[in-house]
């Protein structure tokens, strides 16, 4: 896949403590110039992004639910999601409740994810598993299965705030969970890789994984912005600097 085609999958992202309206406006201009899939920002910048992307087909995604740790009451987390939606977000990226999962409070995990699904009705819901915290293959698989059962639209690897972020090993587990669910239900769930994907070759690793695990085994088109995203801030610049 040529570098120019990789751009269509990018969620162009800024999630920094020093983000400003000016930075978000410039992010949107860059997004329009390169025809990416979406921009991803904090909830307080959603309305700015929405305004600056109003003449494009680019989606506005927002992290919400007390990103990146998701450590607050469910009431507070849902309130932030609702604020992002009211501000115009097309897509919501929430974090899987890893602490509850580790405490084996599985009922509460389901309760939280189902609450997100209910409030995001009609919008794209991406669930960040934070695979660097889960680490073990069996935990990543179980978390993937729970999130899929709660009808999220995308499984996402990482917040990018802890190490390791995205890895091919964790992604394989997630992609196989998506494949197995599709084979049982015929439902397509998307996959978003995020955290540390900054070069063309790194992006190709995940594109090839999606092709090998999902497209080859299901005869369905997963390599479209509807079902595959790359959360990135540096990748776009690196793609534009290539002479391929």
């Amino acid at each position: 896949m040529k570098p120019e085609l990789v751009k269509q999958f990018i969620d162009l992202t800024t999630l920094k403590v020093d983000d400003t309206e000016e930075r978000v406006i410039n992010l949107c201009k860059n997004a329009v110039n390169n025809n990416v899939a979406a921009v991803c920002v904090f909830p307080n910048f959603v309305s700015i992004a929405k305004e600056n992307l109003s003449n494009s087909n680019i989606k506005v995604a927002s992290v919400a639910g007390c990103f990146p740790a998701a450590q607050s009451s469910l009431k507070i987390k849902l309130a932030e999601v609702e604020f992002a939606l009211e501000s115009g977000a097309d897509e919501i990226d929430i974090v899987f409740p890893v602490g509850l999962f580790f405490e084996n409070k599985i009922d509460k995990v389901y309760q939280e994810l189902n609450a997100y699904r209910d409030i995001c009705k009609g919008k794209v819901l991406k669930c960040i598993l934070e695979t660097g915290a889960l680490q073990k293959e069996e935990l990543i698989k179980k978390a993937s299965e729970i999130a899929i059962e709660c009808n999220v639209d995308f499984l996402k690897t990482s917040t990018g705030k802890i190490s390791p972020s995205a890895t091919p090993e964790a992604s394989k587990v997630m992609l196989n969970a998506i494949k197995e669910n599709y084979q049982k239900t015929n439902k397509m769930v998307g996959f978003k890789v995020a955290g540390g994907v900054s070069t063309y070759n790194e992006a190709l690793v995940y594109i090839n994984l999606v092709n090998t695990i999902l497209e080859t085994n299901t005869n369905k088109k997963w390599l479209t912005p509807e079902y595959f995203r790359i959360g990135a801030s540096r990748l776009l610049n690196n793609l534009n600097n290539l002479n391929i």
Side-chain angles (χ1 to χ4, degrees):
M1 182 176 288
K2 294 181 179 179
E4 194 66 26
L5 294 178
V6 175
K7 294 179 184 180
Q8 67 181 308
F9 304 124
I10 292 178
D11 283 4
L12 194 60
T13 302
T14 185
L15 298 169
K16 297 179 179 179
V17 69
D18 60 347
D19 279 345
T20 61
E21 288 189 5
E22 181 181 6
R23 177 178 288 167
V24 171
I25 290 168
N26 288 333
L27 185 83
C28 292
K29 290 177 181 177
N30 200 16
V32 170
N33 289 339
N34 289 279
N35 197 29
V36 301
V39 299
C40 186
V41 296
F42 285 118
N44 50 308
F45 293 115
V46 166
S47 60
I48 299 297
K50 196 74 177 177
E51 179 182 348
N52 282 271
L53 294 171
S54 60
N55 294 322
S56 77
N57 293 319
I58 297 169
K59 305 298 185 183
V60 176
S62 176
V63 294
C66 299
F67 175 94
Q71 293 288 8
S72 188
S73 71
L74 182 54
K75 180 180 180 180
I76 295 297
K77 289 190 270 191
L78 291 175
E80 188 179 47
V81 172
E82 188 171 13
F83 170 68
L85 292 170
E86 289 174 349
S87 298
D90 304 297
E91 305 176 355
I92 298 291
D93 291 34
I94 55 92
V95 180
F96 185 85
V98 176
L100 294 176
F101 184 69
F102 281 165
E103 290 181 317
N104 203 33
K105 295 178 178 177
I106 303 303
D107 287 347
K108 288 190 174 182
V109 173
Y110 276 101
Q111 178 188 4
E112 183 162 319
L113 295 183
N114 283 325
Y116 285 134
R117 178 70 280 172
D118 288 344
I119 202 172
C120 293
K121 192 172 294 183
K123 302 294 184 179
V124 171
L125 177 62
K126 308 191 196 91
C127 182
I128 307 166
L129 296 187
E130 198 66 293
T131 55
L134 296 173
Q135 294 189 350
K136 295 180 180 178
E137 181 175 320
E138 60 267 27
L139 296 181
I140 296 170
K141 181 178 181 182
K142 181 62 176 176
S144 297
E145 291 170 345
I146 291 172
I148 290 171
E149 283 182 50
C150 293
N151 294 310
V152 303
D153 298 296
F154 274 77
L155 295 183
K156 178 177 170 182
T157 56
S158 318
T159 63
K161 304 300 184 182
I162 72 167
S163 182
S165 291
T167 66
E169 293 76 18
S171 297
K172 287 177 185 177
V173 177
M174 296 167 67
L175 290 167
N176 275 303
I178 291 171
K179 179 192 73 175
E180 290 167 11
N181 178 71
Y182 175 78
Q183 291 171 335
K184 292 176 184 176
T185 67
N186 287 325
K187 180 186 176 184
M188 295 175 70
V189 175
F191 174 71
K192 178 175 174 178
V193 57
V197 182
S198 59
T199 70
Y200 174 53
N201 287 335
E202 287 168 344
L204 284 182
V205 169
Y206 295 99
I207 289 170
N208 289 334
L209 283 176
V210 172
N211 179 59
T212 301
I213 296 173
L214 292 180
E215 291 202 353
T216 301
N217 286 288
T218 65
N219 292 318
K220 289 288 184 177
K221 189 67 176 174
W222 246 277
L223 286 171
T224 71
E226 186 178 2
Y227 293 108
F228 176 64
R229 300 285 182 84
I230 304 171
S233 54
R234 292 175 294 166
L235 176 60
L236 183 59
N237 288 337
N238 287 338
L239 291 174
N240 285 332
N241 289 331
L242 290 175
N243 294 312
I244 297 177

